[in-house]
Amino acid sequence: MGISEQTLLILSALADQPRHGYAVVTEVAEMTNGRIQLRAGTLYGALDRLVTQGLIAPDHDEVENGRLRRFYKLTDSGADAIRAESLRMATAVRLAEERLNKRAARNAPRLGAIG
């Protein structure tokens, strides 16, 4: 079984550059057109888990508007996890589309059929 959609989205949000937690929340919401809204508690628990798993790593800390922000970056293992999940999902989509095409062909009206 692959990784969860939430995990894939968090990793993907970090794929192009390091981000702090709130920026990850914003990026995930943008990537999903607002469909996924991560809550802070959920996000920080996930970030801790992903650090422990070696999929992301702390990058640096910055003070922004008087608040300390920890930035996280994607590791090579994290990039590999995105690639593996993307391939798994693409394969599942291809198989589903093949099955739907077979179904459509089977259910298509036939020329000369009475009915």
Side-chain angles (χ1 to χ4, degrees), residues 40-114:
T42 302
L43 173 70
Y44 288 103
L47 292 174
D48 288 343
R49 179 178 47 80
L50 294 171
V51 167
T52 300
Q53 293 173 340
L55 300 177
I56 66 172
D59 187 61
H60 66 281
D61 294 336
E62 288 181 13
V63 176
E64 185 177 305
N65 297 325
R67 296 180 59 160
L68 181 65
R69 301 220 185 248
R70 171 155 294 150
F71 284 69
Y72 295 89
K73 64 181 177 181
L74 187 70
T75 63
D76 290 343
S77 293
D80 290 344
I82 292 172
R83 284 188 195 95
E85 184 63 9
S86 295
L87 179 59
R88 185 190 73 78
M89 291 173 71
T91 300
V93 168
R94 181 182 49 78
L95 292 171
E97 288 175 345
E98 287 173 4
R99 296 293 173 117
L100 286 171
N101 289 338
K102 286 180 183 178
R103 180 180 191 275
R106 187 181 70 244
N107 293 335
R110 295 180 199 132
L111 293 178
I114 299 175

Side-chain angles (χ1 to χ4, degrees), residues 9-31 43-44 47 56-62 64 69-74:
L9 290 168
I10 292 169
L11 294 175
S12 296
L14 297 170
D16 60 337
Q17 66 184 37
R19 289 188 164 84
H20 56 76
Y22 181 73
V24 171
V25 169
T26 302
E27 189 69 14
V28 167
E30 186 176 303
M31 289 187 308
L43 173 70
Y44 288 103
L47 292 174
I56 66 172
D59 187 61
H60 66 281
D61 294 336
E62 288 181 13
E64 185 177 305
R69 301 220 185 248
R70 171 155 294 150
F71 284 69
Y72 295 89
K73 64 181 177 181
L74 187 70

